[in-house]
């Protein structure tokens, strides 16, 4: 029934855009929202002229949802100069009052590198089009929406560009560690396709040290990996053989020495928890205190020909 109704709406073309837009916002029935967005996606480019017209001329009640629909269908590059400027101003305003920030902690994979080596990290990973962004926007861009884009280069070859989010700088709470401030990098497709371990090696070659962490509750798996000067020095993987590689780090030795009788076996070889390792090596994701958060995050891409505006999908700010 729903499929038939959607097909009939698609057949009517752009004239149905005004009727669909009230249902693509945050409120209302999720079933109606899904169907309205599905019809707009199927209309594709056919819907763009009417959406742009609504942005310029109204009706006012549809202008906000028309902006979202434009970015969902064709990316921010589909917006006119006025709308792009408005979005950029909104981001700047939000950046002034976004603390404290929260990073995903229940599951995910991320990289960490010294905060003062941002330029080196950008060079090591070949990043482009760095744009200031809020943490909410950056996390969504790198983990929840379209974070990669296939395209044809000037030679006609199919390439893939990725979108990544670099966090603000965060202070550690440990006084004895040599690096006191860290930035984290999120980008699911980027890390999965280019291999987090290899990326950590590249980062450490330019930045001195870098880490890769994985928390995967679905597979009951965790990994943590420390690279220094271009090579791995210590790692743990739930399903690696052996699970630990490299010499135990000082924090692991302390855990083993302080373990009680019930914990002795658990920490006999080292610390088998990614979040614990992150907490004692760099910073653990989650709610990041405002007092130890500095600067703002950056959204970036991995190819000079593919700016952030090419990626489809409206983002929360």
């Amino acid at each position: 029934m729903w499929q038939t109704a959607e097909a009939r709406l698609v057949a009517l073309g752009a004239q149905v855009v005004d009727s669909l837009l009230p249902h693509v916002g945050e409120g209302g029935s999720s079933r109606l929202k899904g169907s309205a967005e599905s019809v707009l996606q199927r209309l594709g480019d056919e819907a763009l002229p009417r959406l742009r017209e609504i942005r310029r001329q109204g009706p006012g009640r549809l202008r906000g949802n028309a902006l979202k629909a434009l970015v969902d269908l064709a990316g921010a590059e589909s917006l006119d100069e006025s709308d792009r400027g408005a979005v950029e101003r909104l981001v700047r305003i939000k950046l002034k009052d976004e603390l404290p920030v929260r990073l995903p902690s229940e599951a995910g994979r991320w990289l960490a590198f010294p905060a003062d080596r941002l330029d080196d990290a950008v060079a090591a990973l070949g990043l482009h089009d760095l744009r200031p962004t809020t943490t909410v926007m950056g996390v969504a861009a790198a983990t929840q929406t379209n974070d990669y884009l296939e395209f044809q280069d000037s030679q006609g070859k199919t390439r893939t560009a990725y979108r990544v989010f670099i966090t603000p700088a965060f202070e550690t709470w440990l006084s004895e560690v040599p690096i006191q401030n860290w930035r984290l990098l999120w980008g699911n497709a980027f890390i999965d396709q280019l291999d987090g371990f290899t990326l950590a090696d590249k980062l450490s070659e330019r930045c001195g040290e870098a880490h890769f962490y994985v928390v995967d509750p679905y597979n009951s798996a965790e990994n943590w990996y420390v690279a220094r000067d271009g090579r791995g020095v210590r790692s743990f993987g739930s399903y690696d053989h052996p699970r630990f590689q490299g010499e135990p780090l000082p924090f692991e030795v302390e855990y083993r020495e302080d373990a009680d009788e019930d914990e002795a076996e658990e920490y006999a070889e080292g610390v088998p928890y990614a979040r614990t390792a992150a907490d004692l090596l760099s910073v653990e994701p989650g709610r990041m205190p405002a007092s130890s958060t500095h600067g703002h995050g950056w959204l970036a891409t991995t190819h000079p020909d593919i700016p952030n505006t090419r990626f489809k999908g409206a983002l929360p700010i």
Side-chain angles (χ1 to χ4, degrees), residues 7-315:
R8 289 176 177 172
L9 288 171
V10 172
L12 291 173
Q15 63 178 302
V16 303
V17 167
D18 293 49
S19 300
L20 296 172
L21 282 181
H23 304 292
V24 302
E26 294 302 318
S29 164
S30 59
R31 189 68 181 88
L32 282 173
K33 173 181 169 65
S35 289
E37 291 178 346
S38 173
V39 173
L40 285 171
Q41 288 289 338
R42 292 168 67 180
L43 287 172
D45 291 348
E46 187 179 354
L48 297 181
R50 178 54 186 156
L51 291 170
R52 293 192 181 101
E53 186 177 27
I54 291 172
R55 285 299 301 167
R56 293 191 301 269
Q57 302 175 12
R61 62 185 176 82
L62 298 181
R63 294 185 77 245
N65 286 357
L67 179 65
K68 177 184 183 301
L70 277 168
V71 180
D72 281 340
L73 292 177
E77 69 178 5
S78 68
L79 304 180
D80 62 22
E81 186 175 348
S82 175
D83 277 341
R84 285 196 297 269
V87 172
E88 291 170 1
R89 287 192 298 273
L90 180 58
V91 170
R92 290 196 296 269
I93 291 169
K94 291 288 188 179
L95 282 174
K96 295 179 180 179
D97 191 34
E98 76 160 345
L99 300 179
V101 303
R102 177 175 288 278
L103 295 169
S105 58
E106 290 76 20
R109 49 274 199 208
W110 69 96
L111 295 157
F113 62 90
D116 63 351
R117 304 300 291 272
L118 176 61
D119 289 344
D120 288 318
V122 168
L125 300 179
L127 302 182
H128 302 273
D129 190 37
L130 269 71
R131 300 186 179 210
T133 186
T134 64
T135 297
V136 170
M137 187 176 181
V139 169
T143 68
Q144 298 170 13
T145 61
N146 300 311
D147 61 344
Y148 73 95
L149 175 65
E150 292 187 345
F151 66 100
Q152 300 290 319
D153 66 12
S154 58
Q155 306 300 316
K157 294 183 178 180
T158 300
R159 305 287 188 185
T160 303
Y162 301 94
R163 185 161 58 175
V164 303
F165 169 57
I166 299 173
T167 70
F170 302 117
E171 295 178 22
T172 69
W173 59 273
L174 299 168
S175 59
E176 66 271 17
V177 298
I179 301 171
Q180 289 295 306
N181 296 283
W182 295 84
R183 289 184 185 268
L184 310 184
L185 184 147
W186 299 80
N188 286 354
F190 177 66
I191 290 174
D192 290 345
Q193 296 301 314
L194 301 185
D195 183 61
F197 301 99
T198 300
L199 293 171
D201 287 344
K202 286 183 177 180
L203 279 170
S204 73
E205 192 171 11
R206 292 290 294 262
C207 302
E209 181 167 333
H211 311 154
F212 174 46
Y213 302 97
V214 178
V215 178
D216 181 4
Y218 182 81
N219 293 301
S220 300
E222 301 197 23
N223 291 77
W224 59 268
Y225 176 79
V226 177
R228 291 173 180 160
D229 300 321
R231 66 181 187 87
V233 297
R234 180 64 167 166
S235 68
F236 166 81
S238 298
Y239 298 117
D240 291 349
H241 299 284
R243 295 196 308 162
F244 288 94
Q245 297 185 43
E247 293 299 315
L249 298 176
F251 82 91
E252 295 181 276
V253 175
E254 292 182 13
Y255 258 77
R256 185 169 57 199
E257 292 175 348
D258 294 341
D260 59 29
E261 185 174 335
D262 294 332
E263 298 172 328
E265 183 177 353
E266 183 178 16
Y267 296 111
E269 297 180 75
V271 172
Y273 303 111
R275 282 187 289 254
T276 301
D279 191 33
L280 295 168
L281 287 168
S282 49
V283 291
E284 179 184 5
R287 186 180 185 275
M288 314 304 285
S291 60
S292 59
T293 302
H294 305 286
H296 58 73
W298 298 92
L299 204 56
T301 75
T302 61
H303 197 283
D305 293 340
I306 306 297
N308 284 286
T309 54
R310 286 282 301 276
F311 288 82
K312 298 178 182 180
L315 300 172

